[in-house]
Amino acid sequence: MSLSRNDWPIAASMLPFSDVAPSGVPVQDAGPEEWARVLGEVADAGFDCVDFTDNWVKVGDLSPARLDDLAAASAQAGLRPASVSAIRRSVIDAENGADNLAYSHRTLEAAARLGIEVVSFGLHQALTREQREQLWFWTVDGHRDDPDDVEAWMLAVARLRELGRHAEELGQLVSLELYEDTYLGTADSSVRLVEEIGLENVGLNPDIGNLIRLHRRVESWEEIVAKTVPYANFWHVKNYARDEDRAREQYFAVPAPMESGLINYRAAIASAIAAGFQGILCTENYGGDGLSVCAANRDYLRRHALPKSADYVPGRSRVRQGSLSVERSTP
């Protein structure tokens, strides 16, 4: 059965929330009442699904008892844990790759305990000091994967395949997040990486916003969509207003609501569905009242971008989609 705007799962990212509670205690170590307080804000914004983005809580570093507390806090707020996004823990980081791989395995196990089917990983690394000093970190270059380093590429394939096989044992999907200057930094490289991993439960998280926000020449969003959505099984959705003066090599981008940014998500989602996408959408935003922007983006998706009814047949995806028809969210 196909998904429609009435039941398509749309999760709130936890990016807008601090990893430090008002009391000064790290959210990771806070009591369940603090988790319930924040998750209550998410529910009050109209969400019924949440992405446990690990800038807020690292589920892979919680004990089984604490995971049960997090599940209870989610239930208290009326939220279904839909996905986990593990960010800036590249499994090929020169110094921390092995530790990040172990963390990624723990994250899969934790997600399984929480009943979560989709886990998103990336190859982006920790922000540099210079990036952290900017208003918008993407205006300064960070780590770059070497496109000519065959050994590093093969290590990425091997370690991500290892995670994919673990996820398969747990009945999960792995989604790989597009991110600039990594082996997931262009549409072609991302598709090649997924194809070389070669597992049907490993697909792409085509976070186009990560690429079109750069203050330099970028691929067109239309090209990125066309190449990546046949492999999409989860999707971070956000938008940016962008201006270019190529004659002067001047580029500018700032966060924008989905309906008013550069990417036409009405067209992008239509293309994805035609290619077989039936995955969870996770709304993100940087700056300001991020939760409210995420909620407005959710409403835009339901009003304008998602199918009005389930009376359609999606295309055939090149990767497995989630079992959303078994347990759907209801707005």
PDB file of all heavy atoms in Angstrom, residues 183-206:
ATOM      1  N   TYR A 183      33.079  11.240   0.689  1.00  0.00           N
ATOM      2  CA  TYR A 183      32.760  10.298  -0.383  1.00  0.00           C
ATOM      3  C   TYR A 183      31.253  10.251  -0.652  1.00  0.00           C
ATOM      4  O   TYR A 183      30.811   9.588  -1.598  1.00  0.00           O
ATOM      5  CB  TYR A 183      33.290   8.906  -0.048  1.00  0.00           C
ATOM      6  CG  TYR A 183      34.802   8.832  -0.024  1.00  0.00           C
ATOM      7  CD1 TYR A 183      35.477   8.069   0.925  1.00  0.00           C
ATOM      8  CD2 TYR A 183      35.572   9.543  -0.949  1.00  0.00           C
ATOM      9  CE1 TYR A 183      36.861   8.004   0.956  1.00  0.00           C
ATOM     10  CE2 TYR A 183      36.963   9.490  -0.921  1.00  0.00           C
ATOM     11  CZ  TYR A 183      37.603   8.721   0.035  1.00  0.00           C
ATOM     12  OH  TYR A 183      38.975   8.678   0.069  1.00  0.00           O
ATOM     13  N   LEU A 184      30.492  10.960   0.155  1.00  0.00           N
ATOM     14  CA  LEU A 184      29.057  11.159  -0.078  1.00  0.00           C
ATOM     15  C   LEU A 184      28.792  12.616  -0.448  1.00  0.00           C
ATOM     16  O   LEU A 184      27.707  13.132  -0.210  1.00  0.00           O
ATOM     17  CB  LEU A 184      28.266  10.774   1.172  1.00  0.00           C
ATOM     18  CG  LEU A 184      28.279   9.278   1.509  1.00  0.00           C
ATOM     19  CD1 LEU A 184      27.963   9.044   2.982  1.00  0.00           C
ATOM     20  CD2 LEU A 184      27.294   8.524   0.626  1.00  0.00           C
ATOM     21  N   GLY A 185      29.784  13.277  -1.034  1.00  0.00           N
ATOM     22  CA  GLY A 185      29.718  14.703  -1.294  1.00  0.00           C
ATOM     23  C   GLY A 185      29.259  15.111  -2.671  1.00  0.00           C
ATOM     24  O   GLY A 185      29.070  16.303  -2.931  1.00  0.00           O
ATOM     25  N   THR A 186      29.086  14.156  -3.564  1.00  0.00           N
ATOM     26  CA  THR A 186      28.503  14.432  -4.876  1.00  0.00           C
ATOM     27  C   THR A 186      27.497  13.323  -5.174  1.00  0.00           C
ATOM     28  O   THR A 186      27.553  12.237  -4.585  1.00  0.00           O
ATOM     29  CB  THR A 186      29.550  14.457  -6.004  1.00  0.00           C
ATOM     30  OG1 THR A 186      30.074  13.125  -6.199  1.00  0.00           O
ATOM     31  CG2 THR A 186      30.693  15.419  -5.693  1.00  0.00           C
ATOM     32  N   ALA A 187      26.603  13.605  -6.099  1.00  0.00           N
ATOM     33  CA  ALA A 187      25.615  12.594  -6.456  1.00  0.00           C
ATOM     34  C   ALA A 187      26.280  11.342  -7.023  1.00  0.00           C
ATOM     35  O   ALA A 187      25.960  10.216  -6.625  1.00  0.00           O
ATOM     36  CB  ALA A 187      24.617  13.177  -7.452  1.00  0.00           C
ATOM     37  N   ASP A 188      27.228  11.521  -7.927  1.00  0.00           N
ATOM     38  CA  ASP A 188      27.872  10.369  -8.569  1.00  0.00           C
ATOM     39  C   ASP A 188      28.650   9.532  -7.560  1.00  0.00           C
ATOM     40  O   ASP A 188      28.582   8.296  -7.577  1.00  0.00           O
ATOM     41  CB  ASP A 188      28.802  10.845  -9.685  1.00  0.00           C
ATOM     42  CG  ASP A 188      28.061  11.323 -10.918  1.00  0.00           C
ATOM     43  OD1 ASP A 188      26.885  10.940 -11.094  1.00  0.00           O
ATOM     44  OD2 ASP A 188      28.646  12.080 -11.707  1.00  0.00           O
ATOM     45  N   SER A 189      29.419  10.193  -6.681  1.00  0.00           N
ATOM     46  CA  SER A 189      30.205   9.465  -5.693  1.00  0.00           C
ATOM     47  C   SER A 189      29.300   8.717  -4.716  1.00  0.00           C
ATOM     48  O   SER A 189      29.582   7.573  -4.340  1.00  0.00           O
ATOM     49  CB  SER A 189      31.113  10.442  -4.937  1.00  0.00           C
ATOM     50  OG  SER A 189      31.890   9.767  -3.969  1.00  0.00           O
ATOM     51  N   SER A 190      28.199   9.333  -4.330  1.00  0.00           N
ATOM     52  CA  SER A 190      27.277   8.695  -3.388  1.00  0.00           C
ATOM     53  C   SER A 190      26.651   7.442  -3.994  1.00  0.00           C
ATOM     54  O   SER A 190      26.568   6.393  -3.338  1.00  0.00           O
ATOM     55  CB  SER A 190      26.180   9.689  -2.992  1.00  0.00           C
ATOM     56  OG  SER A 190      26.739  10.824  -2.364  1.00  0.00           O
ATOM     57  N   VAL A 191      26.225   7.546  -5.237  1.00  0.00           N
ATOM     58  CA  VAL A 191      25.636   6.389  -5.912  1.00  0.00           C
ATOM     59  C   VAL A 191      26.673   5.276  -6.068  1.00  0.00           C
ATOM     60  O   VAL A 191      26.386   4.098  -5.821  1.00  0.00           O
ATOM     61  CB  VAL A 191      25.068   6.808  -7.281  1.00  0.00           C
ATOM     62  CG1 VAL A 191      24.729   5.587  -8.127  1.00  0.00           C
ATOM     63  CG2 VAL A 191      23.833   7.679  -7.085  1.00  0.00           C
ATOM     64  N   ARG A 192      27.875   5.651  -6.441  1.00  0.00           N
ATOM     65  CA  ARG A 192      28.937   4.647  -6.590  1.00  0.00           C
ATOM     66  C   ARG A 192      29.205   3.942  -5.261  1.00  0.00           C
ATOM     67  O   ARG A 192      29.370   2.723  -5.212  1.00  0.00           O
ATOM     68  CB  ARG A 192      30.215   5.321  -7.098  1.00  0.00           C
ATOM     69  CG  ARG A 192      31.403   4.381  -7.228  1.00  0.00           C
ATOM     70  CD  ARG A 192      32.685   5.109  -7.559  1.00  0.00           C
ATOM     71  NE  ARG A 192      33.846   4.273  -7.327  1.00  0.00           N
ATOM     72  CZ  ARG A 192      35.058   4.717  -7.026  1.00  0.00           C
ATOM     73  NH1 ARG A 192      35.275   6.028  -6.945  1.00  0.00           N
ATOM     74  NH2 ARG A 192      36.054   3.884  -6.812  1.00  0.00           N
ATOM     75  N   LEU A 193      29.214   4.706  -4.157  1.00  0.00           N
ATOM     76  CA  LEU A 193      29.486   4.107  -2.857  1.00  0.00           C
ATOM     77  C   LEU A 193      28.409   3.087  -2.491  1.00  0.00           C
ATOM     78  O   LEU A 193      28.710   1.964  -2.075  1.00  0.00           O
ATOM     79  CB  LEU A 193      29.566   5.204  -1.789  1.00  0.00           C
ATOM     80  CG  LEU A 193      30.012   4.765  -0.391  1.00  0.00           C
ATOM     81  CD1 LEU A 193      31.435   4.223  -0.415  1.00  0.00           C
ATOM     82  CD2 LEU A 193      29.901   5.918   0.597  1.00  0.00           C
ATOM     83  N   VAL A 194      27.149   3.441  -2.665  1.00  0.00           N
ATOM     84  CA  VAL A 194      26.056   2.520  -2.349  1.00  0.00           C
ATOM     85  C   VAL A 194      26.125   1.285  -3.233  1.00  0.00           C
ATOM     86  O   VAL A 194      25.930   0.154  -2.762  1.00  0.00           O
ATOM     87  CB  VAL A 194      24.695   3.228  -2.499  1.00  0.00           C
ATOM     88  CG1 VAL A 194      23.556   2.224  -2.480  1.00  0.00           C
ATOM     89  CG2 VAL A 194      24.493   4.237  -1.377  1.00  0.00           C
ATOM     90  N   GLU A 195      26.420   1.482  -4.505  1.00  0.00           N
ATOM     91  CA  GLU A 195      26.484   0.338  -5.417  1.00  0.00           C
ATOM     92  C   GLU A 195      27.635  -0.597  -5.053  1.00  0.00           C
ATOM     93  O   GLU A 195      27.506  -1.820  -5.162  1.00  0.00           O
ATOM     94  CB  GLU A 195      26.602   0.828  -6.855  1.00  0.00           C
ATOM     95  CG  GLU A 195      25.301   1.452  -7.375  1.00  0.00           C
ATOM     96  CD  GLU A 195      25.380   1.853  -8.832  1.00  0.00           C
ATOM     97  OE1 GLU A 195      26.514   2.048  -9.327  1.00  0.00           O
ATOM     98  OE2 GLU A 195      24.314   1.971  -9.468  1.00  0.00           O
ATOM     99  N   GLU A 196      28.756  -0.033  -4.607  1.00  0.00           N
ATOM    100  CA  GLU A 196      29.885  -0.890  -4.237  1.00  0.00           C
ATOM    101  C   GLU A 196      29.639  -1.599  -2.911  1.00  0.00           C
ATOM    102  O   GLU A 196      30.113  -2.712  -2.704  1.00  0.00           O
ATOM    103  CB  GLU A 196      31.178  -0.083  -4.205  1.00  0.00           C
ATOM    104  CG  GLU A 196      31.644   0.348  -5.584  1.00  0.00           C
ATOM    105  CD  GLU A 196      33.088   0.805  -5.625  1.00  0.00           C
ATOM    106  OE1 GLU A 196      33.867   0.486  -4.693  1.00  0.00           O
ATOM    107  OE2 GLU A 196      33.456   1.487  -6.609  1.00  0.00           O
ATOM    108  N   ILE A 197      28.897  -0.965  -1.996  1.00  0.00           N
ATOM    109  CA  ILE A 197      28.519  -1.651  -0.765  1.00  0.00           C
ATOM    110  C   ILE A 197      27.647  -2.852  -1.113  1.00  0.00           C
ATOM    111  O   ILE A 197      27.811  -3.940  -0.565  1.00  0.00           O
ATOM    112  CB  ILE A 197      27.796  -0.685   0.193  1.00  0.00           C
ATOM    113  CG1 ILE A 197      28.782   0.366   0.708  1.00  0.00           C
ATOM    114  CG2 ILE A 197      27.153  -1.438   1.352  1.00  0.00           C
ATOM    115  CD1 ILE A 197      28.138   1.532   1.422  1.00  0.00           C
ATOM    116  N   GLY A 198      26.704  -2.658  -2.009  1.00  0.00           N
ATOM    117  CA  GLY A 198      25.983  -3.768  -2.610  1.00  0.00           C
ATOM    118  C   GLY A 198      24.990  -4.500  -1.722  1.00  0.00           C
ATOM    119  O   GLY A 198      24.760  -5.698  -1.905  1.00  0.00           O
ATOM    120  N   LEU A 199      24.375  -3.810  -0.770  1.00  0.00           N
ATOM    121  CA  LEU A 199      23.355  -4.416   0.089  1.00  0.00           C
ATOM    122  C   LEU A 199      22.041  -3.693  -0.127  1.00  0.00           C
ATOM    123  O   LEU A 199      21.994  -2.465  -0.112  1.00  0.00           O
ATOM    124  CB  LEU A 199      23.762  -4.321   1.565  1.00  0.00           C
ATOM    125  CG  LEU A 199      25.068  -5.013   1.971  1.00  0.00           C
ATOM    126  CD1 LEU A 199      25.382  -4.713   3.433  1.00  0.00           C
ATOM    127  CD2 LEU A 199      24.983  -6.516   1.736  1.00  0.00           C
ATOM    128  N   GLU A 200      20.942  -4.441  -0.244  1.00  0.00           N
ATOM    129  CA  GLU A 200      19.680  -3.790  -0.570  1.00  0.00           C
ATOM    130  C   GLU A 200      19.103  -3.009   0.605  1.00  0.00           C
ATOM    131  O   GLU A 200      18.213  -2.171   0.429  1.00  0.00           O
ATOM    132  CB  GLU A 200      18.662  -4.809  -1.065  1.00  0.00           C
ATOM    133  CG  GLU A 200      18.199  -5.822  -0.053  1.00  0.00           C
ATOM    134  CD  GLU A 200      17.065  -6.686  -0.600  1.00  0.00           C
ATOM    135  OE1 GLU A 200      16.832  -6.688  -1.826  1.00  0.00           O
ATOM    136  OE2 GLU A 200      16.413  -7.368   0.216  1.00  0.00           O
ATOM    137  N   ASN A 201      19.609  -3.238   1.830  1.00  0.00           N
ATOM    138  CA  ASN A 201      19.123  -2.477   2.984  1.00  0.00           C
ATOM    139  C   ASN A 201      19.977  -1.240   3.260  1.00  0.00           C
ATOM    140  O   ASN A 201      19.756  -0.534   4.250  1.00  0.00           O
ATOM    141  CB  ASN A 201      19.074  -3.347   4.238  1.00  0.00           C
ATOM    142  CG  ASN A 201      20.454  -3.703   4.775  1.00  0.00           C
ATOM    143  OD1 ASN A 201      21.337  -4.073   4.005  1.00  0.00           O
ATOM    144  ND2 ASN A 201      20.638  -3.605   6.082  1.00  0.00           N
ATOM    145  N   VAL A 202      20.946  -0.950   2.386  1.00  0.00           N
ATOM    146  CA  VAL A 202      21.783   0.254   2.519  1.00  0.00           C
ATOM    147  C   VAL A 202      21.472   1.193   1.359  1.00  0.00           C
ATOM    148  O   VAL A 202      21.681   0.841   0.189  1.00  0.00           O
ATOM    149  CB  VAL A 202      23.288  -0.084   2.528  1.00  0.00           C
ATOM    150  CG1 VAL A 202      24.121   1.199   2.603  1.00  0.00           C
ATOM    151  CG2 VAL A 202      23.615  -0.996   3.702  1.00  0.00           C
ATOM    152  N   GLY A 203      20.947   2.350   1.673  1.00  0.00           N
ATOM    153  CA  GLY A 203      20.595   3.332   0.654  1.00  0.00           C
ATOM    154  C   GLY A 203      21.109   4.710   1.006  1.00  0.00           C
ATOM    155  O   GLY A 203      22.017   4.857   1.832  1.00  0.00           O
ATOM    156  N   LEU A 204      20.520   5.712   0.385  1.00  0.00           N
ATOM    157  CA  LEU A 204      20.973   7.088   0.557  1.00  0.00           C
ATOM    158  C   LEU A 204      19.943   7.923   1.304  1.00  0.00           C
ATOM    159  O   LEU A 204      18.737   7.729   1.177  1.00  0.00           O
ATOM    160  CB  LEU A 204      21.247   7.739  -0.804  1.00  0.00           C
ATOM    161  CG  LEU A 204      22.444   7.219  -1.589  1.00  0.00           C
ATOM    162  CD1 LEU A 204      22.519   7.916  -2.946  1.00  0.00           C
ATOM    163  CD2 LEU A 204      23.746   7.409  -0.812  1.00  0.00           C
ATOM    164  N   ASN A 205      20.472   8.864   2.060  1.00  0.00           N
ATOM    165  CA  ASN A 205      19.720   9.959   2.659  1.00  0.00           C
ATOM    166  C   ASN A 205      20.102  11.193   1.843  1.00  0.00           C
ATOM    167  O   ASN A 205      21.127  11.820   2.106  1.00  0.00           O
ATOM    168  CB  ASN A 205      20.109  10.101   4.133  1.00  0.00           C
ATOM    169  CG  ASN A 205      19.625  11.382   4.776  1.00  0.00           C
ATOM    170  OD1 ASN A 205      18.924  12.182   4.158  1.00  0.00           O
ATOM    171  ND2 ASN A 205      20.025  11.607   6.018  1.00  0.00           N
ATOM    172  N   PRO A 206      19.308  11.549   0.812  1.00  0.00           N
ATOM    173  CA  PRO A 206      19.730  12.605  -0.126  1.00  0.00           C
ATOM    174  C   PRO A 206      19.529  14.007   0.455  1.00  0.00           C
ATOM    175  O   PRO A 206      18.664  14.770   0.020  1.00  0.00           O
ATOM    176  CB  PRO A 206      18.833  12.360  -1.341  1.00  0.00           C
ATOM    177  CG  PRO A 206      17.595  11.746  -0.765  1.00  0.00           C
ATOM    178  CD  PRO A 206      18.034  10.928   0.422  1.00  0.00           C
TER     179      PRO A 206
END
